Every structure is written in C-alpha cells, then in structure tokens.
Amino acid sequence: MLRAAAACLFVLAAALPARAADLNDYPTSARADYVFGCMKANGDSRQALEQCSCSIDIVASILPYERYVSAETVASMDQQAGQIGSLFRNSRLAKEALEELRRAQAEAQVRCF
C-alpha cells in the first residue's frame, strides 16, 4: 500500500508543469552578467549588489532560462535600427517575450529595490 501511494505521488509530481523557480536553470555566467549590468545602472555599491542579486533571483523564479534568453535577444535586437530591428519590433512573439521579461523585472524591482 505504501509503495502504491509513493508511486502515485511520483507520477503526480512528474505530471505537474515545472515552474521557473523549481528549475534553477540559469547558468552562473548569466546571473553574473545580469548583476553586473544592473549594478552599472544602480551605482556599483554593496547595496546595488544585494538588490541586483535579489532581482535576478526573482526574474529566474518567474522566467525559465530559455524564455529569458529569448526575451534578452529581442531586447537587444529591438535596439537595432533598420530592417533587422523592425522584424523584432513588429513580431507578436517578440513583443510578448519582451513584455514577459519586463513584467518579471517589474516584479523584481518591487521586491528588491
């Protein structure tokens, strides 16, 4: 009976969709890059280090790394002038990815700064 219950729990847990917070799939280099950029924008202080570290943790808990990379790529390409930039600015999927990143960053701003 105990084995059957354990097997059922295992199957149920495997069937649940993974949340970003459960994945912890951001490589250290991506976290460090985010923190360095954030610190440059917020004063290069010890307080900025703590707030920016908190910020990437919040973003990582909301967005799986794959979606974060996609959104960061869109944000980077959105800065480009001409046809390349306009392809990203006018794409529905690109806009949605960027909005998702901005919402995660807004949540991080509220919780960490």
Side-chain angles (χ1 to χ4, degrees), residues 58-75:
I58 298 301
V59 170
S61 74
I62 296 170
L63 285 178
Y65 183 64
E66 184 178 305
R67 291 201 331 243
Y68 172 78
V69 170
S70 296
E72 280 293 315
T73 301
V74 169

Side-chain angles (χ1 to χ4, degrees), residues 16-108:
L16 293 175
R19 295 179 316 157
D22 297 334
L23 296 176
N24 192 22
D25 59 348
Y26 282 54
T28 302
S29 60
R31 288 177 183 266
D33 188 49
Y34 181 98
V35 171
F36 287 143
C38 177
M39 286 181 66
K40 286 291 182 198
N42 291 289
D44 280 331
S45 66
R46 177 68 187 177
Q47 181 179 5
L49 171 64
E50 291 177 16
Q51 291 171 324
C52 293
S53 297
C54 171
S55 182
I56 189 58
D57 289 343
I58 298 301
V59 170
S61 74
I62 296 170
L63 285 178
Y65 183 64
E66 184 178 305
R67 291 201 331 243
Y68 172 78
V69 170
S70 296
E72 280 293 315
T73 301
V74 169
S76 173
M77 294 305 293
D78 193 42
Q79 306 281 326
Q80 302 296 316
Q83 284 185 320
I84 297 292
S86 70
L87 289 173
F88 282 87
R89 282 188 290 280
N90 297 327
S91 162
R92 180 185 57 81
L93 291 175
K95 287 178 184 178
E96 289 173 0
L98 195 54
E99 287 173 10
E100 187 176 36
L101 175 61
R102 298 293 182 238
R103 280 192 300 272
Q105 289 174 326
E107 179 65 23

